[in-house]
Amino acid sequence: MDQKTVLMTIIGMLAVTYVPRAVPLLALASRSLSPVLVKWLGFIPAAVLAALLAPSLVLDDKGIALTVDNEFLLAAIPTFLVAVRTKSFVGSIVTGMGVVALARLL
Amino acid sequence: MDSQSTSGSGHSGSALARAAGQAMPIVLGYIPVGFAYGVLALKNGLDPLNTVLMSLLVFAGSAQLIAVGMFGAGIAPLAIVATTFVVNLRHMLMSAAMSPYLKSWRKRELAAFSYQLTDETFALHATRFARGDTHKAETFWINSIAQASWVTGSLLGVVASTLITDVRPIGLDYALPAMFIALLVGQLKDRAHLVVAVIAAVTAVALKLMGVTQACTILATVIAATLGLGVDAWIRKQS
């Protein structure tokens, strides 16, 4: 593929990425929303984060990977504990990365 | 989380310094992933300029990684754009979820904010905004630092693409999952939110196993948030 076509494709990607990012915020920020909708939107962060996170922890190329070889899942346990106990951002991340590094070393 | 001590008062340190502290986990996650993207983009036939331009113009991690794979496979541009649309449609929900907090912002500020709305910046802002922390300069600095680290990672990948074969530095690929865990814990304010998170997690995994890979996040999120309304009503009735 020549680079001009690549650039045109990138511009297309920009458009289809930006519109869904901007339109709901621009359309909704100026309105007062019904309490039910506000409550529904309040669930979105927890739902999105769990939906993004869970597959990366429990799935690999072959399917469900609930084993001790799965270092991402293994590291999630102490990372969750540190996050719940300390509420520390940096502490959670250092714990997670440390356990993954250690698991790969062993 | 950690940042509460500095952002709570709103006066300690400059907006840039406070933003840098809060954006640090995103930077740690974006540099290696951006690096991997840069290496893969060149290996799949993009030139250095287009590789970096995509990080500047599109700024969407998973969609960019998927797109360069499709470029390498010689897939038609229209199909690449359509796939990008589906993969990034989940941002609609995040964009909508930010709206109750940014009522006082001008349209052009909202338009600029939306440009840098990614999974990671959304997750961080959802936590900040919920505690009333909507400082504009700080918010824009967080977004810009995040994107700067994404572009820097891409650039490093471009520079190193001929030298590097393994794009997975030890433990660094866990920076983003670990950040998501910490942010998710911060979102579990009550039993209803916990149940929503569990439903979303199980649904997302089930959908992926059924082969629904691209719409999995958005479907799981909508299903879980909607069921959450019922769960919330039920919990209220019990107590």
Side-chain angles (χ1 to χ4, degrees):
Chain A
M1 206 178 285
D2 75 292
Q3 296 301 325
K4 218 175 250 169
T5 314
V6 172
L7 181 59
M8 294 312 289
T9 312
I10 290 172
I11 291 167
M13 291 172 67
L14 161 67
V16 299
T17 302
Y18 183 64
V19 169
R21 277 177 178 170
V23 167
L25 183 53
L26 287 166
L28 297 178
S30 52
R31 297 184 192 183
S32 48
L33 306 174
S34 78
V36 176
L37 184 55
V38 171
K39 180 154 265 180
W40 188 80
L41 292 174
F43 286 130
I44 297 292
V48 168
L49 287 167
L52 287 169
L53 185 63
S56 75
L57 297 184
V58 304
L59 297 182
D60 64 11
D61 306 336
K62 285 167 239 137
I64 291 265
L66 297 176
T67 63
V68 285
D69 296 337
N70 180 354
E71 62 255 4
F72 270 36
L73 184 60
L74 199 69
I77 299 163
T79 308
F80 258 110
L81 288 177
V82 170
V84 171
R85 287 281 164 83
T86 66
K87 304 271 172 212
S88 161
F89 226 92
V90 176
S92 311
I93 289 157
V94 169
T95 304
M97 284 171 40
V99 172
V100 168
L102 200 69
R104 284 184 183 151
L105 209 70
L106 298 176
Chain B
M1 305 253 116
D2 264 5
S3 46
Q4 236 156 356
S5 51
T6 47
S7 57
S9 68
H11 299 292
S12 53
S14 68
L16 174 57
R18 278 178 282 132
Q22 295 179 75
M24 195 44 66
I26 301 183
V27 172
L28 279 178
Y30 273 2
I31 288 183
V33 181
F35 182 89
Y37 157 77
V39 171
L40 290 170
L42 257 70
K43 289 199 192 300
N44 281 291
L46 273 75
D47 70 10
L49 182 63
N50 276 337
T51 300
V52 175
L53 269 179
M54 200 198 282
S55 287
L56 278 169
L57 296 176
V58 184
F59 188 28
S62 46
Q64 287 183 229
L65 284 161
I66 292 165
V68 295
M70 293 176 83
F71 276 123
I75 290 167
L78 212 58
I80 299 177
V81 172
T83 303
T84 304
F85 177 67
V86 176
V87 170
N88 285 338
L89 205 55
R90 65 179 185 280
H91 295 130
M92 269 187 92
L93 294 171
M94 305 183 194
S95 175
M98 300 273 86
S99 67
Y101 301 112
L102 303 177
K103 287 193 184 301
S104 64
W105 287 30
R106 289 185 203 141
K107 290 271 180 204
R108 62 185 154 86
E109 291 166 342
L110 295 173
F113 173 79
S114 307
Y115 184 67
Q116 294 166 315
L117 185 64
T118 65
D119 298 340
E120 291 76 17
T121 57
F122 165 76
L124 184 56
H125 294 317
T127 305
R128 292 176 61 237
F129 293 173
R131 61 168 188 254
D133 197 356
T134 55
H135 191 280
K136 249 177 240 168
E138 195 178 306
T139 303
F140 281 112
W141 273 122
I142 287 172
N143 285 353
S144 301
I145 291 167
Q147 185 165 17
S149 68
W150 178 246
V151 173
T152 303
S154 311
L155 208 58
L156 291 173
V158 165
V159 172
S161 72
T162 48
L163 312 169
I164 299 290
T165 45
D166 185 13
V167 292
R168 203 180 61 161
I170 288 173
L172 267 181
D173 51 337
Y174 205 66
L176 290 181
M179 186 182 86
F180 279 3
I181 289 172
L183 288 165
L184 178 59
V185 166
Q187 286 293 330
L188 303 177
K189 308 161 208 185
D190 54 28
R191 267 193 295 164
H193 282 79
L194 177 64
V195 173
V196 165
V198 171
I199 295 171
V202 172
T203 311
V205 170
L207 286 170
K208 270 228 165 119
L209 284 173
M210 289 189 283
V212 186
T213 50
Q214 289 173 353
C216 132
T217 310
I218 189 168
L219 278 175
T221 303
V222 168
I223 291 169
T226 308
L227 291 176
L229 293 176
V231 171
D232 187 63
W234 187 78
I235 288 173
R236 264 158 217 282
K237 225 183 263 173
Q238 297 293 304
S239 55

